[in-house]
Amino acid sequence: METLFSRNYVQREKKSLVPTEKGLQVYGLVKDQKIADVAMTAEWELALQKIENNEGDAAAFQQDKEQYASTITKELLQLSSLPDKLPILTCPKCKHKQLLIRDKVVKCPDEACHWVQFRNVCGVHISIGDIENLVHKRKTSLIRGMKSKAGKKFDAYIVLNEKAISCFQFEIGKTKRK
C-alpha cells in the first residue's frame, strides 16, 4: 500500500482510499490484462498451501510464475504509454517551448525561461485538466481542500499573473501569492 501512496496512485480522504487521476489512468491501461486478474491471487494462495502440505510441486509453481512474469511483461510492453495521452502545451512565460508534463511538475525545458508549476499544491494533486486551464485560460477551476501551512483547509483558484507566476485567487476576490 505504501508504494501506491508514494507513487501517487492512491490517496487518503478521511477514512477512505481514493484513486488519483494517475491511478485511474494506469488502471484503464491494465484492467483487461492478465496483471489485473484478481483470481490469480486466490490461485497462488491455493498452490502455495498445497506446496506447504507436500501436495504440490514447488518447482512447477516457480516455472509457472516465471512464465506468468514473461507473459505480463510482454503484454505491458505492448500497451500505449501514459505520456502519449498528455496535451501539448506551450510555455505561458516564454511562449516558445512545449512544456514537459510530469507527475510532480510541469516545466519549460528552456533553461533561460525556468517556468515551473508543481502539480502538488498545498496537499492537492493538480489534474491535467487544471494544468491545461492554467496555461490556456491562466486560471484553474476552483481547487478544494488545500491545506495551509497552519493546517487549515481552504479553497482557491490557481492563477497566473502577468509574469506567469502562480498565485492563489480566493472566491471572495482576495489574491495571495504562493
Side-chain angles (χ1 to χ4, degrees), residues 86-97:
L86 296 175
I88 296 172
L89 302 172
T90 303
C91 177
K93 183 176 178 184
C94 73
K95 305 204 185 322
H96 297 293
K97 298 288 184 172

Side-chain angles (χ1 to χ4, degrees), residues 41-100:
T41 304
E43 291 171 12
W44 286 11
E45 289 294 329
L46 183 61
L48 289 170
Q49 188 176 19
K50 285 183 178 181
I51 292 168
E52 187 178 320
N53 295 332
N54 292 322
E55 298 169 3
D57 182 7
F61 179 78
Q62 179 66 29
Q63 188 175 8
D64 287 347
K65 295 314 120 221
E66 288 173 7
Q67 178 61 41
Y68 172 78
S70 176
T71 301
I72 63 167
T73 301
K74 287 175 187 170
E75 283 183 349
L76 293 174
L77 289 173
Q78 291 173 356
L79 293 175
S80 63
S81 62
L82 291 176
D84 295 342
K85 298 181 183 198
L86 296 175
I88 296 172
L89 302 172
T90 303
C91 177
K93 183 176 178 184
C94 73
K95 305 204 185 322
H96 297 293
K97 298 288 184 172
Q98 180 180 329
L99 294 175
L100 301 174

